[in-house]
Amino acid sequence: MSNLKTLDHAAAAEIFIKDEARTDWHDDTLWFVRQKRDKAVNGIAEWEQLREWASQIKNHTLSNLDNYLTAFEKQAEANGIKIHWAADALEHNQLMHKILKAHNISRIVKSKSMLTEECHLNDYLKKQGIEVVDTDLGERIVQLRDEAPSHIVLPAIHLKKQDVSETFHEHLHTEEGNNDPQYLTEAARQHLRDHFIQSELAITGVNFAIAETGGFVVCTNEGNADMGAHTAKIHVACMGIEKIIPKAEHLGVFLRLLARSATGQPITTYSSHFQKPRPGQEMHIIIVDNGRTKQLGRADFRNSLKCIRCAACFNTCPVYRRSGGHSYHTAVAGPIGSILNPNLDMKANADLPFASTLCGSCSNVCPVKIDIHEQLWKWRQVIVEEGYVKPEKKIAMKGMAWIFSNPKIYRWAGKSGRWFLRTMPFLGNNKLNVWYKQREMPEAPKQSFHDWYQQNKNK
Amino acid sequence: MSSREKILATCTANKPALVDLPQLSDEHLTHYDDKIAQFKFVLESIGGKVVALENIEQVKEEIATHKQSGELVVDTVFSIDDALKTQTSFDLERVDRAYLQATLGVAENGSVWLYEAQMGNRLLPFICQHLFIVLAKATLVDNMYQAYQKLNITETGFGVFIAGPSKTADIEQSLVIGAHGARSLTVYLV
Ligand code: SF4
């Protein structure tokens, strides 16, 4: 489950699309989720108002983040919650390990937390001989298969029910060949109930942390976060610094946007508001930076910190849908992952901002109005500038930028390009032109739009 | 410098100029002529059941019947047993039916809000096999904005919006009701 980057996005995607039927199925499945989102969104007349509010609340919060973090800490401590601060992934994992060791705990359940995936917590603890049981159904499936989640909301979306059936047959001894999702889910329910009931420590993520109240909200459909958190003697919630919102009333905006954007539901089944530990329980929050304060300082990219991890941008992205989450070789894949990951490690993730057609669909669906496709474009400039792209791509990009910035040359290049494509198409369709891979070069029009416009504008 | 100080100092150094916080208001939001109909429509579309009752005595009778038939029924609507507070997952795991009173319902999304005090035990609404919620019609609000105006989430240590039974679509996007939490949710409107 570690972050094994052996291939860049394009190479991994090439392997993914070899199975055409499966690629089509993956594409259709995610498009189905996108359509459910559209249906839910169209039912809300004030959708654009909500997006605008959400965007402004997040912009405001980021512009006052230090004060909100200290206000949250103060209030949470007054509520009896212990606060820890982690500068990076390693410190987060060490803090968690320390809590586990202090209580000599071995039975640990974890609900979905993309932050702990980002920090590779499970791997870290495994090396210390500690096993964590993931309890979100999709996460449990991929955990049993020793894989990473391929999607932040639907972790096992890359798998078919036959795959799940085989995995469960091997690990949970379900009937061989029984692919019925109802049957398989019931088997997981029984299997995980045993773990819940005996759990000593529960790890959860945080969807929203409220500065004013010092409490936090966790959203699930399965009820797994609650099953763990209300059973275990110790609850550790992990959050990035950007999860803060100022007031409880702002939840009335975000909870309306989150589930509709994610799966097309009006709200998640459970929106749990944790305020204080229950009597006799210990509650901890680990607040993690891991590159976020650095991103806050990058004016072009800071508003990526507004993300509420709904995955709408994944489901709509033609590149994600046809290359699969694992091609992105990072915990958070998809368009937003391609903005967040270069901040963490520009060299290792230099390929990701190029895994996009820049069609802009991501920015259109984003419930907090992040200008995702524009940031992808900006990252490309930065990455080229810093020298992290392969020479072919760099030459092509530099050439394109030069052509685009010179109107006369642009028109001349277009003309000669059209002439070349018409008379010598084999020159475009060769190995040197990486764009031609997997694509038919378009038939060249005889006339450019510009020429056509010049001829026709006075007609 | 501790990590805490480092994180806060970098936030201070890197944050942009202060941007205003928007003023939320109910004016721009959808209101429903028939909140009951809207609530029922939405909750049923997400797998919940809505039953309108003449009077609350019917729930009392139902509880008695199921208790007699040998099912483990926990009721916090009519009286909360203090022992419930200290019960563990091993005790509550056997609960077949739990009856709880909700504070309010939201027409826009079919959810109901429960304070910890109404649960008797935080784990109960999640671990029981079947969940029954009693909700006064008069408490229905249009939307989440109104809900948060009415609620005080700091009133108890825990509170939750519940919308329908627990569910998952993690296997090939096939919806399955009854993931880890309750297998069914019925709301009695009184
Ligand atoms: S960037 Fe926007 S659309 Fe993508 S996951 Fe984040 S909030 Fe959702």
Side-chain angles (χ1 to χ4, degrees):
Chain A
M1 294 244 301
S2 57
N3 190 9
L4 281 179
K5 190 195 170 188
T6 45
L7 296 169
D8 69 5
H9 178 274
E14 210 168 313
I15 296 169
F16 185 85
I17 57 173
K18 275 207 177 115
D19 189 341
E20 238 179 89
R22 206 176 171 107
T23 307
D24 288 344
W25 165 79
H26 190 265
D27 187 2
D28 291 344
T29 309
L30 286 153
W31 188 247
F32 169 66
V33 183
R34 155 80 210 253
Q35 285 174 318
K36 287 199 291 184
R37 173 254 173 218
D38 289 349
K39 211 173 147 214
V41 166
N42 294 338
I44 298 287
E46 57 264 35
W47 185 255
E48 288 305 319
Q49 174 69 71
L50 294 172
R51 281 181 85 207
E52 185 55 32
W53 277 340
S55 171
Q56 288 177 14
I57 295 166
K58 286 282 185 180
N59 281 335
H60 164 79
T61 311
L62 290 174
S63 76
N64 194 28
L65 192 56
D66 45 354
N67 295 322
Y68 281 129
L69 281 167
T70 45
F72 174 75
E73 175 188 43
K74 195 169 159 220
Q75 201 51 54
E77 282 174 344
N79 297 341
I81 304 173
K82 293 198 176 107
I83 303 288
H84 311 262
W85 298 79
D88 54 24
L90 179 64
E91 191 175 8
H92 164 267
N93 295 344
Q94 287 168 339
L95 283 166
M96 185 72 77
H97 189 210
K98 218 167 119 189
I99 298 170
L100 297 173
K101 265 206 320 217
H103 295 85
N104 195 19
I105 274 170
S106 58
R107 286 193 286 267
I108 304 157
V109 289
K110 176 159 81 68
S111 66
K112 197 157 69 208
S113 144
M114 288 323 298
L115 178 62
T116 61
E117 296 291 338
E118 176 188 320
C119 296
H120 301 289
L121 175 70
N122 286 9
D123 278 349
Y124 178 90
L125 291 177
K126 208 173 191 173
K127 285 193 194 114
Q128 322 290 327
I130 299 168
E131 192 75 44
V132 174
V133 175
D134 279 325
T135 59
D136 171 84
L137 176 59
E139 282 214 316
R140 186 62 179 152
I141 294 167
V142 295
Q143 185 178 41
L144 290 173
R145 297 170 62 91
D146 207 16
E147 287 177 2
S150 65
H151 186 285
I152 57 175
V153 171
L154 316 163
I157 196 71
H158 60 293
L159 297 171
K160 294 204 166 196
K161 53 190 179 198
Q162 294 86 310
D163 305 325
V164 178
S165 172
E166 278 163 29
T167 306
F168 279 13
H169 174 62
E170 186 189 335
H171 295 276
L172 310 183
H173 312 296
T174 53
E175 264 166 47
E176 195 166 3
N178 191 335
N179 301 341
D180 178 17
Q182 180 92 42
Y183 167 76
L184 297 169
T185 302
E186 181 63 28
R189 177 182 169 102
Q190 300 303 342
H191 157 69
L192 287 167
R193 275 222 156 198
D194 287 344
H195 285 285
F196 283 127
I197 288 160
Q198 300 181 35
S199 67
E200 300 170 303
L201 183 139
I203 301 169
T204 70
V206 168
N207 288 93
F208 305 98
I210 305 119
E212 182 190 36
T213 69
F216 58 95
V217 174
V218 181
C219 303
T220 75
N221 282 320
E222 298 182 4
N224 56 320
D226 291 280
M227 286 289 283
H230 306 315
T231 297
K233 288 195 303 273
I234 302 166
H235 175 186
V236 187
C238 308
M239 60 175 267
I241 54 170
E242 82 284 17
K243 294 290 169 187
I244 295 270
I245 57 170
K247 293 175 176 188
E249 66 169 27
H250 298 137
L251 290 165
V253 175
F254 291 107
L255 292 183
R256 294 189 72 185
L257 291 167
L258 178 60
R260 286 185 173 97
S261 298
T263 57
Q265 292 169 260
I267 186 171
T268 47
T269 305
Y270 305 106
S271 308
S272 298
H273 296 50
F274 293 88
Q275 185 65 23
K276 292 177 183 168
R278 64 172 194 276
Q281 188 192 35
E282 233 180 71
M283 201 179 269
H284 300 257
I285 297 175
I286 306 180
I287 302 176
V288 183
D289 180 347
N290 205 34
R292 288 164 175 76
T293 53
K294 191 168 157 203
Q295 190 85 323
L296 188 64
R298 297 183 196 264
D300 282 344
F301 305 108
R302 73 162 56 101
N303 89 20
S304 60
L305 295 171
K306 288 153 69 180
C307 176
I308 57 172
R309 302 289 192 269
C310 72
C313 59
F314 290 51
N315 305 337
T316 202
C317 177
V319 175
Y320 176 86
R321 292 203 314 270
R322 295 194 70 82
S323 60
H326 290 154
S327 300
Y328 293 75
H329 56 77
T330 47
V332 178
I336 186 65
S338 301
I339 299 173
L340 297 173
N341 291 302
N343 172 57
L344 284 174
D345 185 340
M346 205 184 297
K347 187 159 174 252
N349 300 310
D351 54 326
L352 295 181
F354 295 91
S356 167
T357 63
L358 303 183
C359 71
S361 181
C362 44
S363 308
N364 286 331
V365 296
C366 178
V368 290
K369 292 196 172 182
I370 300 173
D371 53 339
I372 306 169
H373 72 295
E374 284 165 26
Q375 292 191 38
L376 289 168
W377 167 248
K378 286 177 188 161
W379 263 128
R380 293 183 186 183
Q381 324 296 310
V382 175
I383 284 164
V384 170
E385 205 57 42
E386 307 264 328
Y388 289 127
V389 293
K390 286 187 199 149
E392 314 94 86
K393 198 169 242 167
K394 191 168 172 174
I395 290 166
M397 281 211 33
K398 277 227 165 123
M400 264 173 49
W402 178 69
I403 288 171
F404 283 143
S405 60
N406 289 282
K408 276 197 185 137
I409 306 238
Y410 171 78
R411 283 197 289 278
W412 173 81
K415 254 183 206 149
S416 47
R418 283 187 296 282
W419 182 80
F420 264 109
L421 275 176
R422 277 199 315 276
T423 43
M424 294 180 262
F426 53 88
L427 275 185
N429 302 352
N430 65 25
K431 283 215 176 91
L432 287 173
N433 185 352
V434 285
W435 179 252
Y436 181 63
K437 269 167 111 192
Q438 302 293 335
R439 297 179 184 91
E440 286 296 324
M441 289 304 271
E443 221 177 274
K446 290 206 174 59
Q447 208 177 18
S448 75
F449 174 75
H450 180 265
D451 293 346
W452 175 87
Y453 184 74
Q454 289 300 329
Q455 261 179 33
N456 289 279
K457 69 176 174 187
N458 297 324
K459 275 190 184 168
Chain B
M1 226 192 315
S2 71
S3 289
R4 177 186 182 278
E5 283 161 33
K6 212 162 61 194
I7 292 168
L8 291 171
T10 319
C11 277
T12 310
N14 287 358
K15 68 181 181 180
L18 190 67
V19 179
D20 282 346
L21 186 62
Q23 185 68 46
L24 310 184
S25 92
D26 198 21
E27 221 177 287
H28 307 280
L29 308 176
T30 305
H31 297 168
Y32 302 94
D33 294 335
D34 186 346
K35 286 200 272 279
I36 297 175
Q38 174 70 17
F39 178 80
K40 189 171 151 73
F41 171 76
V42 178
L43 184 50
E44 285 176 350
S45 75
I46 53 177
K49 236 173 102 183
V50 180
V51 182
L53 289 185
E54 292 298 315
N55 66 63
I56 196 151
E57 291 305 306
Q58 285 171 268
V59 180
K60 228 179 205 171
E61 284 160 28
E62 187 183 302
I63 292 172
T65 318
H66 284 283
K67 274 188 176 164
Q68 266 164 20
S69 75
E71 284 175 65
L72 185 54
V73 182
V74 176
D75 151 39
T76 68
V77 178
F78 298 99
S79 65
I80 297 189
D81 184 352
D82 248 359
L84 188 56
K85 254 192 204 145
T86 52
Q87 284 193 327
T88 66
S89 54
F90 294 95
D91 307 313
L92 296 173
E93 193 240 331
R94 296 177 297 115
V95 174
D96 295 302
R97 304 164 79 95
Y99 288 79
L100 279 67
Q101 175 90 45
T103 307
L104 58 79
V106 185
E108 171 237 319
N109 58 25
S111 69
V112 296
W113 170 268
L114 293 136
Y115 283 115
E116 180 169 24
Q118 294 165 311
M119 304 171 200
N121 186 309
R122 287 184 193 188
L123 188 55
L124 183 61
F126 306 96
I127 201 170
C128 64
Q129 296 291 334
H130 300 278
L131 179 59
F132 300 83
I133 302 277
V134 174
L135 181 73
K137 283 179 200 143
T139 65
L140 282 174
V141 295
D142 288 298
N143 54 45
M144 294 295 277
Y145 174 84
Q146 292 175 9
Y148 281 105
Q149 295 303 311
K150 289 209 168 165
L151 296 171
N152 172 11
I153 62 166
T154 64
E155 194 171 300
T156 55
F158 177 73
V160 63
F161 281 108
I162 298 182
S166 82
K167 57 174 89 61
T168 181
D170 272 349
I171 302 176
E172 259 195 44
Q173 277 299 293
S174 308
L175 179 69
V176 178
I177 302 281
H180 301 303
R183 294 176 190 275
S184 74
L185 171 79
T186 307
V187 172
Y188 290 122
L189 282 174
V190 292

